[in-house]
Every structure is written in structure tokens, then in C-alpha cells.
Amino acid sequence: MFEYAKSFIGSLWSGKRSLDDEDDNDTPDQKRIRSEDVSRDGEGETLHRIKVSNFNKNEWKKVKKYLLELGCKPMSKAPKWDYGIINASVKAKDEYNKRMEKLHNKKNGRKAQKPGAEDDTRTPAEKLADQVTPLYKLSYEEQLKKKNNKGVSVMAKLKGQLANIPKTDRTERAMKETEWSRTKGRLPCKMYDPVPSPDINGYRTKCEFTIGKDLDGKPTVGFLLGLYKLGITAVLDPKDCLNVPDKAKRVASYMQDYIRDSEYPVYDRVEKDGVWRTLMTKTQRTGEVMVVIQMKTTNLTEEQVDNEKKKLVEFWNGLKDKPEDERLDITTLLFQAWDGHSNGMTDKAPVEVLTGDGIVHEELLGCKFRISSSAFFQINTPAAEVLYTKCAEWCRINKDRKTTLLDLCCGTGTIGITMAKSVDRVIGIEMVPEAIEDAKLNASINNITNVTYYANKVEDRIDVIGDATNEDVVAVLDPPSCDSRQALGNFYTLCKASSKRVQGEAFRPSRAMTIDLFPHTDHCELMVEFVRGEYLKDLEQDEDAKAAEKLIQDKQKEVEEKEANGENENENENESKDDTSDAK
Ligand SMILES: C[S@@+](CC[C@H](N)C(=O)[O-])C[C@H]1O[C@@H](n2cnc3c(N)ncnc32)[C@H](O)[C@@H]1O
């Protein structure tokens, strides 16, 4: 929320929406934060009035402090915290600019390897690689180590926070339930070695390409050379991007040919004008390919739009009849007209199917899945198989007992469906209705009959979770990407003793592991098992865990030695960036 408030104000001042604002990674709450009323009074006092809905009151103090420092008038909030109003003045804009300049200088001073625009000697390809695959210069082993360090850091911080819970939370019960965290050792549980991705290159099954102009002003389909919020608008083709599969590169290249021949201009994000905006590809290992093309249609007549759709269909169908080495077989072609300012595919406008069924299929752990254009599906299939296999292993399903598996944030149902045969029943909850439709069909394609789906937010369907009475109840929560701080906050809440808001016995982490689904990037999955109640006994008797204790002590010693030698990397610095671990 705080980060979003910062980014939101930043995008207002620069008069543009930041690239990240409409990112897939936005939580639904973030997506609901919207500017309601933008007014400019003649005296130049209030420039913007921003209504923030679904306000997270836990972050109120931080946001308020930040806004006051910027010269924004104190924010007013609705009595029930359902929204707040920020009044942002001219003074605030000046303050914002000053702070940004200071921050920019500080960053450039501290990180000599990231030169400023004037002395940046990187080639465009290197800039793009730094942008899209920032770890590409490290060996894969080094990348894994770096990602694992972040996971270790999150887990160590969790232990530290629980060992020192604030005075206000220190009830007798809380102290008892977190007693384990005040034992020796840096880590709260066993931390396994990081698990690599089976594929290191060309693994991204879903790619979203920006359509814009390259450094020579030529219409290009590729990726922005830097962050749009820093004023960068040049696009470079993806031919050197390590994580983009060849097939997606070919689709982008054909689309580039098409727009270079087109009578319509590419969309200009500064002028907010033009036609061609975004290309999305889903290239699955079944060989099926989805292509979604996004255009701004405001300045075109209905007839022009219809003609363009026909031309697109002819163009992509025509590629099927090309000679072998030029042939490209598209399974389904879709179209989105989007006239809003935010960039990238959006769920705010419908997607029209031009050819095919509007879906592609993927195979995963022996099951078949249909994927629609808006549904989430892990973008690295072989690594997702590793993740789901480990996850199923950690669920410790006891075949002699009846188990209900809660697949929370289930997307198209992958986790529940791949595990359905080993449990009594599965309950899947997902907030995107299209994904739930896919999940239901996926269950049926795979002859799974013991699963019930709910198209709701998990937090709104606590009732079905409460009804999940069976001998064993195991929940797998696979939330949208979040940074390590958010994950840590949630872990802390799970492990601290119950409160009015969070009821029931406290959990305790029993093991954790980083699994890499995104080689060459900063991102990584952190899978953590939390247990409570009778399962804590298992944990205490778990020989494996005892053996792990020694490992933890050794690691602790290693870290202390490194710290003593001044070798330890600055973990806080890592975490202040757009990292990182997606917590499971
Ligand atoms: C990382 S994806 C995981 C999907 C699925 N488990 C998989 O591996 O394919 C996270 C999913 O959570 C959904 N989601 C986000 N917030 C949610 C909420 N509050 N309640 C239910 N689903 C949510 C998103 O729509 C997305 O499909």
C-alpha cells in the first residue's frame, strides 16, 4: 500500500501512469486504489485530489508521514477506513521532484555499476538485458545462491520478529506460542537447498510485448529499454532476451513486419495517441500458440476496426501456408480494443476471439489444462511441475485418513487437480471467474470429480473453509506475487498467537525452500510449510528436523564468520528493490 501510494503519486506528478501500476503483480487491493477526482485550481494550490479506497489502516501512519513530508495536506479518511482523500498541492509536486532527484543521485552514487544516462556506455541490448533479465551476468549457481539468500533472510527475520514481538502483543499465550522462536539459531526451521529450474533459457510461456518505436524511430515489437516512469519509451526487439522462447520471438517478429506495413501508427505513450499497443503470446509446450493483439481504436471508425481485424486474421492464417522454415501455426487469435491510458493487456476491456477457441492447452504432471487469455498459469511449465511436486510432497497426505485439500487462489485449478486423486476432496477458491470456469472444465477433462470450486475471494469464503471438516485439512495458498516484506507480514500474523482478527492456534514454520521459476530475473518462489496443533508433535519428533538443526547452526556459524569478515551482502538493500520471493 505504502509503495503503491509512492508510485501512484510519482505517476501523477510525471503526468503518466507507471509501467508497474498495471502489472500482473498488483494485488487486487492495489488495483482498487484509483484517482477519483483530478482538479487544478487557478491559484495553483490543489493539483490533485486522490480518493484511495479499501484503505489499509495498518499502513496509515507510514503513508501519512510520507504525504506530510511531501507537503500534501493531511489525508482525511472515512470513519470506517473504507477510503481516504489525499489533497496534493503544488508544494507537494516540488517536494516530490526534489526527493526523486535526491534518491536518483543517492542510487547512482551507491551503485557504481548502474551508470546515469550521460555516462551509460551499455549497448541497447545490454540495457534491455539488464531490464528484463537483471541477473543474466551471473552464473546460474550464483543466481540461485542470491535468490536463496533472500529466502533465508525472510525466514531469519520472521524468527527475529517473533522472538521480539511488540509489548502490545505480549500476552501470556503469545509468549508461550512463540517460545520456539527464542531458541538458539538464526533460522526458524529447516531451509532446504534451492531448487533450480529445469529450463534456464526460453522458459516464459507467456510474454507481453510493448509496441512502440525503437531508438531510430522505427515501429518495433519488443520490450521497453527501461522503466517508463523514468521517461524511457524506446522499445527493442526481444531477439537477445534469454527468457523469451524462440516461438514467441518469431510471433513478435511477424507482428513487427505487420505493423511496419500498416497504415496506422504505433501507440505513443507520451502523446497517448496511435493505434498499435500490445502483443501478448502464450506459447505452451503442447505446441499451441495464443496471440492477443491490443489496439487503441478511439480514432478509427467501426468499419476501419472491422477491416483491420479481417486483415489480421488473413495475415496470421497466411503464415500457416508458408514454406516449412517460415511457417507459424497460431492456435487462436484474439483482439482487444483498449483506449485507456494504462499500458499492457487489461481486464477492464473485453477480449474478442478472431480465430480458434480463444484458449490454449498445457500439459503438466500428466494432466491437461485449458488456459484462457486472462487466466493465470505458471509461465515456466517444467519448473511449475517441480514446484507442484514438492508442494504435494510437503502436504504429507496420509492415505489412511480422509483429507480435504484447500486450493486457495487456485487459478485454473492446477494444484488441486494434480493432487485430487490422493485426497478425499478438494475445495478450490479463486477470485477470477474466467479462471474458475477454466478450473471446472480442467477438472472435467482430467476426470476429476471430487473438487468444488468457488469464484470468490478467499477472504470472502471463509465459511467454506470452516465447513471443510474431515480427518485432515491441508491448505495450499498460492497467492499473487508479493515482495518479501508483504510475505513476512503474513507469516508473522500466522505465527503470532491469535487475536480477535486472526483466530485459532498459532502456526509454526516447519520447513522452507526456494524454487526458481524465473532464471536470470530477481524473482523466485519461496515455499514454506506452516503447521500447528497435533502436527507440531510430528515436528518435534521429526528426525529430519533435528538433523536440520545442526545444518542451521552450521549455516549460522558460516554467516557469522562472513559478517565478521565484512563479506555479508546488504540484504536490506536487496529487499528495497522490486523483489522477489513469491510466498507459497
Ligand atoms: C500465483 S496465482 C496461482 C494460481 C494457481 N495456484 C496456479 O499455480 O496456477 C495467484 C492467483 O490468485 C488469485 N487471487 C488473487 N487474490 C485473490 C483472493 N483474494 N482470493 C482468491 N484468489 C485470489 C489470482 O487471480 C491468481 O489466479
Side-chain angles (χ1 to χ4, degrees):
M1 161 73 203
F2 177 57
E3 286 307 313
Y4 191 79
K6 284 206 290 189
S7 133
F8 191 83
I9 288 174
S11 57
L12 270 182
W13 290 159
S14 50
K16 49 202 174 192
R17 299 272 293 144
S18 89
L19 224 203
D20 303 332
D21 293 350
E22 290 294 324
D23 195 286
D24 270 359
N25 294 341
D26 271 10
T27 66
D29 287 349
Q30 286 170 334
K31 281 188 171 162
R32 263 181 284 137
I33 301 171
R34 295 283 176 258
S35 165
E36 186 199 48
D37 170 21
V38 179
S39 61
R40 289 167 188 272
D41 71 17
E43 306 309 309
E45 181 44 32
T46 299
L47 275 177
H48 299 281
R49 271 185 81 235
I50 307 163
K51 179 175 172 181
V52 183
S53 19
N54 198 36
F55 198 84
N56 178 350
K57 70 174 175 183
N58 295 334
E59 299 218 346
W60 155 244
K61 278 193 185 148
K62 247 170 79 188
V63 176
K64 188 176 167 193
K65 185 168 170 260
Y66 177 74
L67 292 171
L68 281 171
E69 278 173 19
L70 281 184
C72 291
K73 286 180 193 159
M75 182 172 165
S76 45
K77 57 185 179 0
K80 286 190 179 166
W81 291 102
D82 21 26
Y83 68 86
I85 300 281
I86 302 170
N87 284 309
S89 63
V90 177
K91 183 179 165 226
K93 182 171 185 175
D94 293 345
E95 275 304 317
Y96 174 82
N97 287 339
K98 267 192 231 154
R99 273 180 69 137
M100 285 302 115
E101 197 183 321
K102 235 171 141 181
L103 198 72
H104 179 74
N105 294 341
K106 199 172 150 195
K107 263 192 183 165
N108 285 342
R110 199 178 56 210
K111 290 189 179 171
Q113 75 275 23
K114 282 203 174 164
E118 329 70 46
D119 48 5
D120 191 343
T121 54
R122 292 173 301 163
T123 63
E126 283 169 339
K127 281 186 198 168
L128 188 64
D130 280 340
Q131 175 69 16
V132 179
T133 47
L135 304 187
Y136 80 105
K137 283 187 186 147
L138 299 181
S139 71
Y140 190 51
E141 287 67 33
E142 286 170 317
Q143 293 184 20
L144 272 185
K145 202 168 160 205
K146 195 174 166 74
K147 293 182 187 199
N148 195 50
N149 283 346
K150 278 184 189 167
V152 167
S153 158
V154 171
M155 297 310 289
K157 279 184 186 158
L158 174 65
K159 188 171 186 219
Q161 285 186 4
L162 287 163
N164 298 296
I165 46 177
K167 274 188 188 147
T168 44
D169 289 341
R170 269 187 224 164
T171 58
E172 198 182 320
R173 181 171 171 183
M175 294 309 277
K176 191 163 180 290
E177 288 189 344
T178 56
E179 203 178 307
W180 60 268
S181 64
R182 284 174 284 278
T183 53
K184 228 178 138 210
R186 181 177 180 235
L187 289 167
C189 62
K190 177 169 180 170
M191 186 96 199
Y192 287 79
D193 284 343
V195 180
S197 165
D199 289 346
I200 295 169
N201 294 325
Y203 57 83
R204 269 203 85 96
T205 50
K206 177 188 167 193
C207 295
E208 214 170 290
F209 300 104
T210 299
I211 305 181
K213 286 187 178 165
D214 69 6
L215 291 163
D216 299 323
K218 279 203 226 126
T220 299
V221 178
F223 296 120
L224 279 179
L225 271 179
L227 290 181
Y228 175 65
K229 61 185 165 198
L230 299 179
I232 294 164
T233 55
V235 171
L236 200 73
D237 72 54
K239 69 176 175 4
D240 295 325
C241 290
L242 289 176
N243 54 354
V244 177
D246 286 344
K247 210 174 230 177
K249 288 179 185 171
R250 290 187 63 214
V251 175
S253 166
Y254 275 125
M255 186 66 202
Q256 184 166 291
D257 293 345
Y258 185 89
I259 54 157
R260 284 189 179 177
D261 282 348
S262 166
E263 61 186 295
Y264 301 123
V266 298
Y267 182 69
D268 181 325
R269 292 181 68 187
V270 178
E271 298 301 324
K272 314 237 173 292
D273 203 12
V275 171
W276 301 108
R277 298 192 71 153
T278 306
L279 167 79
M280 185 177 84
T281 57
K282 292 195 180 187
T283 48
Q284 307 303 140
R285 71 173 173 195
T286 49
E288 294 186 19
V289 179
M290 174 186 288
V291 174
V292 191
I293 293 163
Q294 189 191 59
M295 284 170 80
K296 179 177 161 91
T297 54
T298 334
N299 298 328
L300 305 182
T301 62
E302 218 170 287
E303 196 187 349
Q304 282 174 315
V305 176
D306 283 343
N307 278 340
E308 202 54 43
K309 284 190 225 166
K310 277 188 202 131
K311 274 174 77 179
L312 282 168
V313 171
E314 271 169 35
F315 175 79
W316 291 101
N317 277 344
L319 295 177
K320 291 181 183 169
D321 304 324
K322 291 240 175 208
E324 180 80 42
D325 55 339
E326 293 172 40
R327 188 177 306 153
L328 192 65
D329 211 339
I330 297 302
T331 315
T332 185
L333 177 67
L334 299 97
F335 174 86
Q336 184 173 55
W338 173 235
D339 300 328
H341 286 177
S342 64
N343 224 37
M345 301 306 302
T346 175
D347 56 7
K348 288 183 224 126
V351 176
E352 187 185 334
V353 179
L354 299 185
T355 68
D357 298 334
I359 53 149
V360 280
H361 292 93
E362 185 61 306
E363 274 161 11
L364 191 141
L365 292 175
C367 296
K368 197 165 183 185
F369 293 94
R370 46 173 278 144
I371 308 168
S372 53
S373 64
S374 61
F376 173 90
F377 200 90
Q378 290 290 5
I379 53 93
N380 180 343
T381 305
E385 288 186 319
V386 174
L387 174 69
Y388 296 157
T389 306
K390 290 275 170 215
C391 169
E393 219 177 282
W394 282 22
C395 283
R396 312 168 191 235
I397 305 296
N398 182 342
K399 292 249 160 68
D400 301 328
R401 288 161 68 97
K402 285 195 160 192
T403 301
T404 297
L405 174 73
L406 301 171
D407 185 2
L408 307 178
C409 297
C410 66
T412 53
T414 41
I415 295 177
I417 289 171
T418 51
M419 287 183 66
K421 293 204 168 119
S422 54
V423 296
D424 182 50
R425 65 185 190 122
V426 178
I427 296 176
I429 309 179
E430 160 63 48
M431 63 180 277
V432 175
E434 293 83 3
I436 281 292
E437 285 315 306
D438 282 347
K440 286 179 182 166
L441 289 163
N442 285 333
S444 148
I445 300 171
N446 292 288
N447 300 318
I448 301 295
T449 50
N450 57 341
V451 50
T452 318
Y453 287 112
Y454 296 91
N456 294 101
K457 287 187 164 190
V458 171
E459 53 273 38
D460 295 342
R461 285 310 326 224
I462 296 292
D463 56 327
V464 280
I465 299 176
D467 288 347
T469 43
N470 226 332
E471 282 177 307
D472 282 339
V473 178
V474 178
V476 176
L477 173 62
D478 187 8
S481 317
C482 58
D483 68 27
S484 52
R485 258 171 305 197
Q486 284 171 302
L488 188 56
N490 291 335
F491 295 170
Y492 177 77
T493 309
L494 274 181
C495 298
K496 181 172 79 69
S498 70
S499 60
K500 262 191 195 150
R501 194 169 69 85
V502 184
Q503 298 191 359
E505 210 176 310
F507 281 88
R508 183 175 160 179
S510 46
R511 45 185 164 169
M513 176 193 272
T514 50
I515 302 182
D516 188 22
L517 266 69
F518 316 100
H520 308 304
T521 75
D522 278 334
H523 298 269
C524 189
E525 303 273 335
L526 173 64
M527 185 165 85
V528 186
E529 179 192 53
F530 291 94
V531 293
R532 68 175 173 187
E534 57 177 297
Y535 297 96
L536 281 174
K537 286 189 215 114
D538 288 357
L539 184 67
E540 274 145 25
Q541 287 157 12
D542 189 348
E543 284 307 312
D544 208 20
K546 277 185 200 150
E549 194 54 36
K550 188 174 172 318
L551 216 85
I552 294 168
Q553 308 287 348
D554 292 349
K555 246 202 167 112
Q556 162 79 2
K557 231 168 132 189
E558 196 186 302
V559 172
E560 280 167 4
E561 274 168 19
K562 272 193 181 164
E563 271 167 3
N565 297 334
E567 285 174 37
N568 208 17
E569 83 179 274
N570 187 344
E571 283 151 355
N572 288 333
E573 187 185 312
N574 282 338
E575 280 161 17
S576 68
K577 289 194 303 185
D578 169 33
D579 61 348
T580 171
S581 311
D582 296 339
K584 300 288 162 215

